[in-house]
Amino acid sequence: MFYVPIIKLKSAEIRLSSYIKNAICNDNIIPFLELIYELDNTRKNTTLDTFLNNTGIRFFFVGIPHKPDVIKTDDGKKLVTKANKNSKTYYDESLKLFNLKTCIPVFYVYNNEDIDYCNSFLKYAKDHNKMAAVITTTNYASSINQSLLSTNTYLLIDIGKDGLGAKRISLKSICSTFDSNLIIIRESRGINTMNTIIKNGKPVQLNEDLSGDIKRLKNVLGFKISGFGDYCGYKNVATLEGGGGNRGKMFPAWAMYRRDEIIPYYLGIKSSKPLSDDGFNELIKLSIDCFKKIDPSLDNPCISILMHENMGNYGPWNVLTEWNYIYQMSKYDDWVKIKTLD
């Protein structure tokens, strides 16, 4: 089984990408990189090449975000606007992904209008003997032309915030008709989770990675899972609680993912000082002390980030949660040996 961390190639991810090189270059990890700008936007889209050069990864999924709640705004303008003008422009831009080397292009299907274009995308891959992938939900998967999904393709099923058990019947139905490699994708936590639940040094009740669900249910699933993935913890950020813009009432915090126990968990790291009283620097100190205690080998790349990078805004803290998550998955990789039914 392999793990698929979904990474949004924003500026902070690019700037700090070299720190994750050792962890992400793992035979059992296939990153899924989401483009921010169109491939032919030479002025802006240097992000992909920079990330690949800094990390050294040689095999990866790549896609243009087309899920409604994934397409974010930047300075009031939507990202990848050309691709997402309509379903036809999205299809045309997605075909360009086949020009990239050592990657698996991904087509997003989150509405009925995209199904026919998805079939054309898969047919193009088949006619040109290319690998391809589709990311969709259980609702739309059954509408895809099953003859185009083979052992040379990947079907990524997005189950949102649900547990695997809740999707067992619908996933089994999909697997009974498709021959694709099945990858289950899930959000790592609800987007509206506030850091009021985070207490320094205490476990935080957030979703563990899907490997736990797979372990518990593998004997009753009735289908084979090739891999699993998520947005690698990027939402467990140094968020603020309350205050209504009053920095004197805002206490930065984050949830550190841990896999060094029998049951994975999140550990709360929360500043005792508000932003108005150097809260970010207090959070840095608490985080470094925690890492040194639980990672005495000091090989977690997040320690270097905390010691050498400017952590005075939210961007690098978002990346810190991502890179820590991937590092944990790479180091404590018991999930590799999980085998589900054929």
Side-chain angles (χ1 to χ4, degrees):
M1 184 166 294
F2 52 86
Y3 170 59
V4 179
I6 303 178
I7 299 171
K8 297 175 178 295
L9 297 179
K10 294 186 178 180
S11 58
E13 280 89 344
I14 304 304
R15 181 167 62 85
L16 302 176
S17 54
S18 60
Y19 287 97
I20 198 59
K21 179 176 182 178
N22 291 336
I24 207 169
C25 289
N26 182 308
D27 290 342
N28 299 301
I29 293 179
I30 307 178
F32 180 174
L33 309 179
E34 289 193 323
L35 296 180
I36 292 181
Y37 304 108
E38 285 80 9
L39 286 172
D40 58 2
N41 190 336
T42 55
R43 184 173 68 87
K44 292 183 176 180
N45 197 27
T46 59
T47 55
L48 179 61
D49 287 342
T50 301
F51 186 88
L52 297 178
N53 290 334
N54 286 351
T55 58
I57 60 173
R58 292 289 179 264
F59 188 56
F60 56 98
F61 293 101
V62 64
I64 302 170
H66 193 54
K67 180 180 177 181
D69 61 353
V70 168
I71 304 172
K72 302 299 182 181
T73 58
D74 186 14
D75 297 329
K77 297 180 180 180
K78 283 202 169 186
L79 304 176
V80 288
T81 51
K82 181 178 180 181
N84 284 290
K85 184 178 180 180
N86 55 55
S87 294
K88 176 61 166 61
T89 57
Y90 175 71
Y91 169 73
D92 291 340
E93 290 298 312
S94 295
L95 283 184
K96 297 177 182 178
L97 300 176
F98 286 106
N99 296 326
L100 299 173
K101 296 180 179 179
T102 67
C103 81
I104 306 173
V106 182
F107 197 87
Y108 293 60
V109 178
Y110 284 91
N111 60 65
N112 287 319
E113 293 179 0
D114 293 322
I115 293 173
D116 287 341
Y117 287 109
C118 172
N119 290 332
S120 297
F121 181 86
L122 291 170
K123 186 176 186 305
Y124 179 94
K126 184 176 181 179
D127 291 345
H128 292 81
N129 196 29
K130 300 271 191 179
M131 301 182 75
V134 175
I135 182 168
T136 187
T137 66
T138 54
N139 291 336
Y140 294 112
S142 58
S143 299
I144 299 171
N145 187 338
Q146 60 181 329
S147 68
L148 298 172
L149 288 168
S150 66
T151 55
N152 202 38
T153 58
Y154 292 81
L155 184 59
L156 286 67
I157 299 295
D158 182 353
I159 63 174
K161 301 165 189 167
D162 292 331
L164 185 55
K167 296 290 185 179
R168 182 172 61 87
I169 296 177
S170 55
L171 286 169
K172 185 175 181 179
S173 175
I174 292 170
C175 290
S176 67
T177 56
F178 293 156
D179 294 324
S180 283
N181 299 285
L182 180 66
I183 301 171
I184 311 298
I185 303 292
R186 187 179 68 178
E187 294 281 357
S188 62
R189 81 168 214 191
I191 193 169
N192 58 350
T193 303
M194 298 298 292
N195 79 339
T196 50
I197 67 172
I198 296 177
K199 306 296 181 184
N200 191 41
K202 302 293 184 181
V204 183
Q205 297 300 313
L206 300 173
N207 287 335
E208 62 179 279
D209 64 86
L210 270 171
S211 67
D213 266 2
I214 296 171
K215 284 180 184 177
R216 287 187 290 269
L217 295 171
K218 69 177 183 177
N219 293 326
V220 297
L221 289 175
F223 55 87
K224 184 174 182 179
I225 300 175
S226 301
F228 64 97
D230 46 45
Y231 283 88
C232 54
Y234 90 102
K235 288 176 182 172
N236 305 311
V237 299
T239 51
L240 306 169
E241 64 173 85
N246 184 343
R247 293 173 67 88
K249 296 182 179 180
M250 295 180 175
F251 296 81
W254 68 291
M256 176 192 295
Y257 192 56
R258 304 296 306 169
R259 284 189 57 86
D260 55 343
E261 300 281 345
I262 295 177
I263 299 177
Y265 67 102
Y266 290 90
L267 182 64
I269 310 292
K270 186 172 185 176
S271 173
S272 60
K273 298 180 179 180
L275 284 184
S276 61
D277 190 21
D278 212 17
F280 272 132
N281 278 334
E282 171 71 7
L283 188 61
I284 291 171
K285 180 181 181 301
L286 290 171
S287 300
I288 291 176
D289 289 346
C290 185
F291 273 125
K292 287 182 176 180
K293 180 179 179 180
I294 59 185
D295 275 318
S297 62
L298 303 183
D299 59 351
N300 190 315
C302 294
I303 298 174
S304 294
I305 293 176
L306 289 164
M307 295 180 67
H308 302 296
E309 297 292 335
N310 178 7
M311 304 297 291
N313 59 75
Y314 302 121
W317 287 100
N318 295 349
V319 180
L320 190 80
T321 64
E322 293 180 87
W323 285 190
N324 175 66
Y325 199 98
I326 294 172
Y327 166 82
Q328 293 289 325
M329 297 298 292
S330 178
K331 183 171 182 178
Y332 304 102
D333 60 353
D334 56 304
W335 46 266
V336 172
K337 301 176 181 178
I338 300 175
K339 294 183 179 180
T340 55
L341 301 177
D342 291 325

